[in-house]
Amino acid sequence: MQTLKEDILEILVKSKHLTKKQIEDALQIHKVKQIPFRTVLIQQGIITEEELLSLLSKKLYIPTLHLTKYKFDPEIIKLIPDRMARQYNMIPLSRMGNTLTVAMSDPLNVFALDDLRLFTGCSIDTVLSPHEQIQRAIDTQYGSGGKDIQQILKESESQPTGGAEKTEVEFLRQEDLELTDAISESEKPPIVKLVNLMLTEALKKRASDIHVEPEEDCLLVRYRIDGALYDFFKIPKLKQNAVLARLKIISSLDITENRIPQDGRFKLRFEAKEVDFRVSSLPITFGQKFVLRLLDKSNLSIGLDKLGFSEQPLKIFKEAVNKPFGMLLITGPTGSGKSTTLYSILNQLNTTERSIITVEDPVEYQITGITQIQVKPDIGLDFASGLRSLLRQSPDVIMIGEIRDSETADIAIKASLTGQLVLSTLHTNDAISSITRLIDMGVEPFLIASSLVMLCAQRLCRMLCTKCRKPIDVPNEFLEKLGFIPETLPKDKNSAAQLPSKGKNIFYVAEGCQYCNNTGFHGRIAVLETILIDDTIREMIIKKKSLDEIKHYAVFTCGMRTLREDIFLKVKDGLTSLDEAIRVTTEE
């Protein structure tokens, strides 16, 4: 009699036309790496998880269930502890008498079923669900921030606060609190758990910032996810000073100083990866506001290919980065991904034969092999003085966090003319406006023309959640008002969707589901406007031609794609919505 594995292989050979070599390779990986055979089949692209679950369902007579819209009963969830659910990737669904039904991705795991039977004392029925859906359900049901935080706060309220009792008015006035009480309270297990949970929930929800904001009657915690802020929970005012003291302790800030802003940082290991937190405190009316920026090094792609750029900007970036000297400027507002792009370039250039030095305020990511200088204006170490000093260190590549003044601009330009590749950022609305900004800073046009290699404007747009995005038909009249004429847009080889010039124009809009926290968006992608500086543009800069003339030449002669054109390509591919495209490029 054939085993289940042999049955599945036989079906795959017939339906997928697998070769003998593919089967042998999969079996070899299964033996060498000691990972389940079903995992090997999915990882090698031989079969999708949905197809495999369908096969298992037919062979084992086990029904399948999609969990995205399943309503879980909190009382049933309590029957299996968090640890066991995560260990075996299972979640309880219902209980009828002495029979417990659970969703599993691997119903052949007899050890899991035996453990569950012994733990619950119930007979076990199983249904099949995709691994990722079970994982998300576990995170939602067991790792729900609101529920856990309420439990932790109850624990903290049940413990004595230490010292004499204080009235409500005394707690609302921070200057009247004794520092020793705040420190001792911050070291209690419930407060430590509360702060740890605040950090881990932010990581699970892909937050880029945590805002801890004292209000009149509570301490509000908000997460910035995909560029937008969301309220997540409120901490009672009585616990405010203990929570803020805990944040100061782990960030190595002065716990006795409440009157002036402070900056600190700390590291956290989460799910086998190291995450840096950059911490900023600011005294406000009801206490001190803290903003924690999450800096995940694993998000720094090695090289430019993994940043999700469109084909044309990627080609221009690669050509510019390979220049031996000159200046590359990336422009855009705060939070537009400029630093991530710069660090990705540095990662690509970071080889043993190159000396790379950066001047930053602050140093965001600490990278091995790169010399990084932290600007400290209070002791006279600003961008200009730091840049002047590092030029004597014989660098090959220089990264300046931001060109803020004429002195920094002048030194950077001259460094790029004397053999260094200089990378930096400016705050302008589009790429070409960088020329005017440098001239306004007092840099001579002939120096700008000689030094510039590439100009880039960057924005970040939110990507539609692929699990719940909804197609809609948009009338041609509306598209024409926006200047969205599909047949005139540049075509990318990578562009998956080409809109018809007539008939229906199918786009996607945000809907919202459990996977994307009901926002309709999941992740962000860069939108770019890039131009390589050629001899004609250099001549136009020297002759002080207007920005409109330079931009007209860049668009119609050099083929520069504007921010709106680049984001429209992403709309065509179904990566983002028209509303998001208009929001991000509203100045155009």
Side-chain angles (χ1 to χ4, degrees):
M1 189 174 177
Q2 288 195 134
T3 63
L4 181 64
K5 185 196 297 183
E6 290 167 341
D7 281 347
I8 291 172
L9 278 175
E10 186 178 324
I11 293 168
L12 288 176
V13 168
K14 288 178 181 177
S15 62
K16 297 277 183 176
H17 308 292
L18 296 185
T19 64
K20 189 177 179 181
K21 186 177 184 311
Q22 285 177 303
I23 295 171
E24 288 174 353
D25 288 347
L27 288 169
Q28 184 65 20
I29 294 169
H30 166 57
K31 289 176 184 175
V32 172
K33 294 190 176 181
Q34 295 293 306
I35 56 178
F37 186 63
R38 62 195 301 280
T39 307
V40 177
L41 294 175
I42 294 167
Q43 287 179 352
Q44 295 298 305
I46 293 170
I47 189 171
T48 65
E49 187 175 15
E50 286 75 14
E51 291 170 332
L52 184 58
L53 288 178
S54 178
L55 275 178
L56 288 171
S57 178
K58 288 175 185 175
K59 284 288 173 184
L60 299 171
Y61 302 103
I62 299 175
T64 58
L65 177 68
H66 284 269
L67 302 176
T68 46
K69 294 186 179 179
Y70 187 84
K71 290 186 178 179
F72 292 92
D73 183 345
E75 295 303 315
I76 299 296
I77 291 293
K78 290 177 183 176
L79 296 175
I80 300 180
D82 184 356
R83 178 192 56 78
M84 182 178 283
R86 293 183 190 279
Q87 181 181 351
Y88 295 128
N89 196 239
M90 62 168 68
I91 190 161
L93 301 174
S94 63
R95 181 175 178 175
M96 295 285 288
N98 199 41
T99 301
L100 178 65
T101 303
V102 298
M104 298 181 70
S105 57
D106 184 7
L108 301 176
N109 190 339
V110 292
F111 299 108
L113 295 172
D114 286 346
D115 281 358
L116 188 57
R117 198 175 291 112
L118 286 169
F119 183 83
T120 60
C122 297
S123 58
I124 307 299
D125 269 358
T126 58
V127 298
L128 283 165
S129 296
H131 182 280
E132 190 179 318
Q133 287 186 18
I134 296 174
Q135 195 63 54
R136 284 204 302 271
I138 290 170
D139 288 341
T140 304
Q141 299 304 317
Y142 291 97
S144 172
K147 188 188 295 182
D148 287 353
I149 281 164
Q150 293 308 318
Q151 290 171 353
I152 291 169
L153 288 173
K154 283 178 183 175
E155 288 176 29
S156 67
E157 286 164 8
S158 66
Q159 293 190 9
T161 55
E165 288 186 2
K166 293 181 172 58
T167 66
E168 185 179 358
V169 175
E170 288 176 318
F171 274 108
L172 292 175
R173 295 173 57 194
Q174 184 172 344
E175 62 268 25
D176 292 339
L177 285 172
E178 293 182 16
L179 182 63
T180 52
D181 285 350
I183 295 173
S184 62
E185 185 80 3
S186 72
E187 292 170 349
K188 289 183 178 178
I191 296 299
V192 173
K193 285 181 187 176
L194 181 60
V195 173
N196 289 349
L197 183 67
M198 182 197 304
L199 303 177
T200 54
E201 281 295 307
L203 288 163
K204 287 178 185 176
K205 296 184 184 299
R206 304 175 298 102
S208 59
D209 300 271
I210 306 172
H211 289 241
V212 185
E213 303 173 349
E215 296 191 341
E216 188 175 4
D217 56 351
C218 69
L219 184 66
L220 177 64
V221 178
R222 302 198 287 169
Y223 294 156
R224 188 180 295 279
I225 302 170
D226 295 333
L229 273 172
Y230 300 93
D231 292 358
F232 268 86
F233 49 86
K234 294 179 180 180
I235 298 170
K237 194 71 176 178
L238 294 174
K239 302 300 173 187
Q240 173 178 309
N241 293 286
V243 171
L244 298 185
R246 177 65 186 164
L247 289 174
K248 283 185 177 183
I249 289 167
I250 62 176
S251 308
S252 302
L253 300 180
D254 184 355
I255 199 165
T256 64
E257 183 56 75
N258 299 322
R259 299 165 300 166
I260 60 173
Q262 295 187 73
D263 293 306
R265 64 192 309 150
F266 63 92
K267 290 183 180 180
L268 182 72
R269 188 171 292 281
F270 177 75
E271 292 182 353
K273 62 182 179 181
E274 198 175 84
V275 182
D276 283 349
F277 285 78
R278 201 178 75 212
V279 183
S280 170
S281 75
L282 181 70
I284 62 171
T285 309
F286 298 112
Q288 292 178 86
K289 175 180 175 179
F290 278 72
V291 176
L292 290 75
R293 168 67 59 89
L294 283 69
L295 304 168
D296 185 355
K297 288 183 181 178
S298 65
N299 291 336
L300 284 183
S301 304
I302 299 175
L304 295 163
D305 293 305
K306 298 178 183 177
L307 284 178
F309 290 172
S310 302
E311 183 185 4
Q312 189 205 43
L314 181 60
K315 182 181 175 184
I316 290 172
F317 256 100
K318 285 183 175 179
E319 189 174 340
V321 167
N322 288 326
K323 300 281 185 183
F325 58 87
M327 179 179 277
L328 281 64
L329 282 179
I330 302 177
T331 74
T334 302
S336 60
K338 301 188 297 295
S339 296
T340 302
T341 301
L342 284 177
Y343 276 111
S344 296
I345 295 171
L346 290 181
N347 267 323
Q348 182 169 312
L349 296 173
N350 189 12
T351 56
T352 52
E353 61 268 17
R354 282 195 185 96
S355 169
I356 302 175
I357 305 181
T358 72
V359 189
E360 304 170 67
D361 183 21
V363 173
E364 292 202 18
Y365 296 95
Q366 294 164 348
I367 302 175
T368 306
I370 294 177
T371 304
Q372 296 171 277
I373 300 172
Q374 168 72 57
V375 169
K376 294 178 182 176
D378 51 328
I379 60 169
L381 180 57
D382 55 14
F383 277 111
S385 60
L387 187 52
R388 197 180 293 109
S389 300
L390 74 82
L391 287 174
R392 294 192 284 271
Q393 299 284 317
S394 182
D396 298 303
V397 180
I398 299 168
M399 194 267 268
I400 306 165
E402 184 186 342
I403 295 178
R404 296 177 180 172
D405 53 62
S406 56
E407 192 178 2
T408 307
D410 185 57
I411 300 168
I413 292 278
K414 287 173 181 173
S416 69
L417 292 171
T418 54
Q420 280 88 25
L421 184 65
V422 178
L423 315 174
S424 191
T425 68
L426 275 177
H427 286 286
T428 60
N429 288 334
D430 59 12
I432 304 296
S433 298
S434 306
I435 297 166
T436 307
R437 179 60 55 86
L438 290 172
I439 291 173
D440 290 343
M441 286 181 176
V443 182
E444 291 292 339
F446 72 90
L447 290 175
I448 297 171
S450 304
S451 63
L452 282 183
V453 170
M454 185 201 76
L455 296 173
C456 168
Q458 181 168 320
R459 301 288 187 277
L460 288 177
C461 74
R462 293 180 294 174
M463 296 175 68
L464 285 169
C465 173
T466 54
K467 309 285 183 184
C468 66
R469 64 181 184 179
K470 185 174 72 174
I472 58 164
D473 178 23
V474 180
N476 277 324
E477 298 77 28
F478 181 71
L479 294 178
E480 286 169 9
K481 285 181 183 178
L482 294 176
F484 194 126
I485 306 169
E487 61 267 27
T488 64
L489 279 178
K491 301 293 189 294
D492 258 9
K493 289 177 186 175
N494 298 333
S495 185
Q498 297 295 335
L499 293 177
S501 55
K502 293 181 181 178
K504 288 192 173 183
N505 298 310
I506 303 300
F507 295 91
Y508 291 91
V509 292
E511 182 78 356
C513 66
Q514 191 179 29
Y515 179 64
C516 60
N517 292 318
N518 292 310
T519 62
F521 296 95
H522 191 277
R524 290 189 289 177
I525 193 168
V527 182
L528 300 174
E529 176 180 290
T530 51
I531 180 69
L532 276 174
I533 307 299
D534 62 12
D535 291 337
T536 305
I537 295 179
R538 289 191 177 94
E539 192 176 335
M540 294 173 86
I541 295 171
I542 292 169
K543 290 181 178 178
K544 298 183 179 179
K545 297 285 186 180
S546 70
L547 285 186
D548 289 339
E549 289 178 90
I550 298 174
K551 188 167 184 176
H552 186 275
Y553 170 79
V555 171
F556 292 101
T557 305
C558 301
M560 181 184 82
R561 185 181 298 159
T562 64
L563 286 168
R564 179 154 283 191
E565 286 174 344
D566 193 43
I567 201 170
F568 277 169
L569 280 173
K570 289 169 172 56
V571 173
K572 286 171 64 178
D573 285 342
L575 295 175
T576 191
S577 65
L578 263 178
D579 290 342
E580 182 71 1
I582 295 165
R583 183 189 72 82
V584 170
T585 60
T586 186
E587 67 269 12
E588 295 205 0

